[in-house]
Amino acid sequence: MDLIDTPQTGENSPEYTVAELSGAIKRVMEGEFSHVRLRAEVGRVSRPGSGHLYLDLKDDRAVISGVIWKGVAARLTTRPEEGMEVVATGRITTFPGQSKYQIVIEDIKPAGVGALMALLEKRKAMLAAEGLFDPGRKRPLPFLPEVIGVVTSPSGAVIRDILHRLRDRCPRKVLIWPVVVQGDKCAAQVAAAIEGFNRLTPGGALPRPDVLIVARGGGSVEDLWGFNEEIVARAAAASDIPLISAVGHETDTTLIDFVSDKRAPTPTAAAELAVPVRHELLAQLDSYESRLSHALSQGLARKDQRLRDMGRALPRAESLLDLPRQRLDFAASRLGPALIKSVQARRVRLANVSGSLRPATLRRHIDDSKRQLGQSAQRLGPALLRAVAQKRGALDLRAAALRPQNMLRDVADKSGRLDVVVDRLRQIARHQLETRRSRLEAIDRLRETLGYKATLRRGYAVVRGDGAVITGVAGACAAKTLEVEFADGRVQVGTPLPGAPGTEPGEKPQPTAAKKPRRAPPGQGSLF
Amino acid sequence: MDEIAVEEMSFEQAMAELERVLGLLERGDAPLEDSIGLYERGAALKKRCETKLREAEEKVAAITLDGAGAPAGTTAVDGL
């Protein structure tokens, strides 16, 4: 140790205790860095239950620990999150117990436009995930609001533009809720105004607006930033009164635009969205009125016309029958085909039934009958034989009683009796013959005595002319020849004379006349 | 719609009802008695709408706030 115990320059400088040095350092650092603005990226963030907030602030080469005390943390408009580019304002303090130093942050803000936009995107994503941008949440704006609430700065171009446009279109009651439209207080005041308007009661001393306009003129992203704050967006989303947002110029989009019921590109446009044009409505009303009158008179005219038309179109009673008549015709025309169809249907049924009438069935019947016949035929032979035998027995019985001697005796008896009868028959015949002959002879004699020939013998004659008996002079004159019959024969008397009947003096007219009733035809003689 | 008296209707309600009545009447199938009733109702609705439009007058007021940020009253706003 001696070797190196060489006195060195400054060896005589006073010695610090650790505490002394630590205190000295603390004084220097806290004096020197009592107010710093530190631009950094937020590293690890921890939020213990104490409410204090611990975070690392870093860049690519160094890290400084930071702390935000509970009271400050509650006031912050920006929640530091890991990866966020921030500008932190605060002071450096040391922590002698661990040889550490840290920055106690009084305020922390996003650094630069890029960081702001990144933050905005993050918020948008969060609120969208909650469904606050849902189109289904958007309410329709009232057509003609009675009272319009405007949340904006009470001075400046914005409120003037809105009032001008409202005046042009349709004057309304307007309630202005004055707020600051940029800076730290902006967000809180705008949110409070929206909530305040919603708390008003309809028809109260302060009438509750029917529609809200949240408006601000154009500006930088930082200027408009208040309308990107979460509390403003949440207040707008929670508003029961339909809300029109009109923040910045048309190209500026702030968070409230996503949750509002209607986004207007400019304050003037917001006024146009809020109210209709009065004179247009009045004109529309007038046109409605004339349409009402027109429709009424048209309707009356139409009904009148219809009444007339229907009166004309009332059908004649006769025509009422046309349709039934037609139905009858139609039905009648179907009657014939229906009959045919019915017959066909039955024919089909017959065919079906006859189909089952097969030769096999018939043959079976025949076979049955044949079998019965065969059985009967078998019984026929013996039965016949039996009958024949019976009859033969009877025949034999009779034949046994039949003797030739009996027959011969019978024949002899009968031929004897026949001879007797024949003899008697002969005698009767002979007797009768003789009787009849004698009677005939007697009758013939009588005839002879009664006939004209006997008369002739007494001197009478029969005159015939041309073969026929003539009974008068006229007949005798007419005849060509005359024949006179006498008892012993006939004689021709000359040729007829053309003279009078007196030229025949030989004639004896009297006997002729006398014989007249005894006239007999020549044929009569042939009987004998 | 029918339960609200015409005199109590908002402009929008009266306008919508007027359009409905007009549609019914113009369709022309309403019975005669109804047609006349519809016409009268339409006329009343038109009057209501007109009144609502004509009574509108501009009245602008700014809310004054108390120390706690709650509305305390209004002040007239002129010259804007």
Side-chain angles (χ1 to χ4, degrees):
Chain A
M1 280 305 175
D2 286 341
L3 281 175
I4 58 164
D5 196 18
T6 316
Q8 297 284 312
T9 313
E11 211 176 35
N12 58 346
S13 57
E15 288 177 351
Y16 287 104
T17 63
V18 173
E20 282 168 357
L21 185 55
S22 292
I25 289 169
K26 189 177 178 77
R27 276 193 299 278
V28 169
M29 284 186 76
E30 290 185 359
E32 186 66 25
F33 304 108
S34 62
H35 182 83
V36 289
R37 293 187 76 222
L38 175 63
R39 186 186 179 113
E41 186 193 328
V42 178
R44 189 180 48 82
V45 181
S46 69
R47 294 179 175 85
S50 63
H52 306 318
L53 201 154
Y54 301 96
L55 69 164
D56 289 339
L57 296 174
K58 60 182 183 178
D59 61 13
D60 53 349
R61 278 177 297 178
V63 178
I64 297 177
S65 297
V67 61
I68 305 174
W69 302 124
K70 186 178 169 184
V72 177
R75 275 203 328 264
L76 284 180
T77 54
T78 304
R79 269 171 82 90
E81 284 160 51
E82 191 167 345
M84 189 186 278
E85 197 74 18
V86 292
V87 176
T89 308
R91 57 190 166 86
I92 297 295
T93 61
T94 62
F95 191 38
Q98 286 184 8
S99 180
K100 283 182 176 171
Y101 60 92
Q102 64 186 2
I103 179 167
V104 175
I105 299 168
E106 306 290 346
D107 190 15
I108 188 163
K109 283 194 159 116
V113 174
L116 283 175
M117 294 322 284
L119 182 65
L120 179 59
E121 287 308 312
K122 235 174 151 176
R123 283 180 189 163
K124 266 164 71 179
M126 179 180 73
L127 295 182
E130 286 181 31
L132 293 190
F133 303 165
D134 198 346
R137 283 178 54 94
K138 311 278 184 204
R139 281 149 309 166
L141 302 179
F143 185 71
L144 184 69
E146 294 284 320
V147 181
I148 300 167
V150 183
V151 178
T152 192
S153 165
S155 59
V158 171
I159 187 64
R160 194 177 301 130
D161 288 349
I162 290 173
L163 291 176
H164 278 168
R165 187 47 60 97
L166 287 178
R167 201 171 294 144
D168 288 347
R169 288 170 71 89
C170 191
R172 298 280 86 182
K173 292 193 186 73
V174 179
L175 268 182
I176 302 168
W177 194 298
V179 291
V180 295
V181 289
Q182 75 184 75
D184 292 346
K185 292 182 177 132
C186 167
Q189 285 191 6
V190 170
I194 294 171
E195 285 156 9
F197 268 139
N198 273 283
R199 272 198 298 273
L200 296 179
T201 49
L206 284 173
R208 188 177 193 250
D210 303 306
V211 68
L212 293 183
I213 297 174
V214 177
R216 190 207 188 282
S220 67
V221 174
E222 288 86 353
D223 289 341
L224 303 182
W225 192 253
F227 297 91
N228 284 325
E229 294 294 355
E230 197 179 328
I231 50 167
V232 172
R234 288 197 184 278
S239 173
D240 284 333
I241 305 170
L243 188 144
I244 303 169
S245 65
V247 176
H249 294 303
E250 190 161 0
T251 49
D252 300 323
T253 303
T254 51
L255 201 58
I256 193 175
D257 291 331
F258 292 98
V259 291
S260 65
D261 295 302
K262 208 87 180 178
R263 186 218 169 194
T266 61
T268 303
E272 286 170 4
L273 286 173
V275 292
V277 181
R278 180 164 73 163
H279 68 83
E280 281 177 10
L281 284 175
L282 286 170
Q284 198 181 357
L285 276 176
D286 286 343
S287 88
Y288 279 0
E289 187 178 38
S290 65
R291 276 170 65 189
L292 269 176
S293 304
H294 183 69
L296 183 66
S297 61
Q298 275 290 102
L300 285 175
R302 204 160 39 233
K303 284 188 170 64
D304 184 42
Q305 184 63 43
R306 231 179 105 205
L307 179 62
R308 263 184 255 222
D309 289 350
M310 286 197 302
R312 269 200 296 277
L314 268 181
R316 289 169 297 118
E318 193 185 327
S319 68
L320 288 175
L321 289 176
D322 286 348
L323 199 63
R325 199 168 282 152
Q326 192 180 358
R327 276 179 60 200
L328 174 64
D329 286 348
F330 180 60
S333 72
R334 285 168 56 194
L335 202 56
L339 181 62
I340 290 168
K341 205 173 147 194
S342 153
V343 168
Q344 276 172 348
R346 281 173 171 76
R347 188 169 288 155
V348 168
R349 274 178 58 201
L350 174 63
N352 288 342
V353 172
S354 64
S356 63
L357 198 65
R358 281 184 301 276
T361 316
L362 190 59
R363 198 170 298 134
R364 197 162 56 241
H365 271 289
I366 291 172
D367 288 347
D368 285 352
S369 301
K370 200 178 274 175
R371 196 163 53 248
Q372 279 184 14
L373 179 63
Q375 287 170 357
S376 299
Q378 279 174 3
R379 287 165 55 196
L380 200 58
L384 184 62
L385 290 176
R386 206 160 46 243
V388 166
Q390 274 179 5
K391 297 269 190 307
R392 185 172 287 153
L395 180 63
D396 287 349
L397 227 57
R398 294 275 178 89
L402 208 62
R403 300 274 192 279
Q405 301 94 297
N406 293 354
M407 283 174 74
L408 289 175
R409 194 166 57 236
D410 198 34
V411 167
D413 279 358
K414 291 203 169 125
S415 64
R417 279 167 60 194
L418 183 63
D419 287 346
V420 174
V421 170
V422 167
D423 280 349
R424 281 175 60 193
L425 207 56
R426 249 178 225 140
Q427 284 170 7
I428 291 164
R430 206 155 39 230
H431 177 67
Q432 281 200 344
L433 198 59
E434 281 164 11
T435 312
R436 293 214 177 139
R437 187 172 289 147
S438 61
R439 264 187 72 196
L440 181 61
E441 282 164 1
I443 289 167
D444 192 49
R445 274 188 307 271
L446 183 61
R447 188 195 60 87
E448 286 289 332
T449 60
L450 293 175
Y452 78 96
K453 294 226 170 137
T455 312
L456 292 180
R457 270 186 302 268
R458 290 193 317 253
Y460 296 89
V462 175
V463 181
R464 287 189 179 87
D466 297 337
V469 175
I470 290 178
T471 58
V473 178
C477 291
K480 287 191 222 50
T481 60
L482 289 176
E483 189 187 53
V484 181
E485 185 185 2
F486 299 98
D488 54 350
R490 299 186 184 193
V491 66
Q492 286 289 131
V493 185
T495 48
L497 297 174
T503 57
E504 272 244 8
E507 278 287 295
K508 289 183 258 180
Q510 281 166 332
T512 307
K515 283 198 294 186
K516 199 166 149 187
R518 304 281 300 272
R519 186 194 61 188
Q524 201 173 7
S526 68
L527 280 171
F528 305 99
Chain B
M1 223 16 146
D2 286 352
E3 279 93 52
I4 305 172
V6 172
E7 292 69 34
E8 286 165 18
M9 280 183 180
S10 72
F11 176 85
E12 203 177 355
Q13 284 171 326
M15 196 74 170
E17 177 66 0
L18 176 58
E19 280 165 350
R20 191 183 74 85
V21 163
L22 191 55
L24 283 176
L25 202 58
E26 282 184 332
R27 213 159 57 207
D29 51 7
L32 189 63
E33 295 77 6
D34 294 4
S35 294
I36 294 164
L38 282 173
Y39 175 80
E40 285 167 351
R41 184 169 174 79
L45 287 163
K46 188 248 172 184
K47 191 160 166 260
R48 169 68 180 168
C49 289
E50 219 166 38
T51 309
K52 290 297 279 184
L53 280 178
R54 294 209 187 281
E55 82 188 1
E57 47 166 337
E58 191 187 71
K59 198 170 143 192
V60 181
I63 290 173
T64 53
L65 300 171
D66 60 19
T74 58
T75 55
V77 176
D78 295 316
L80 284 176

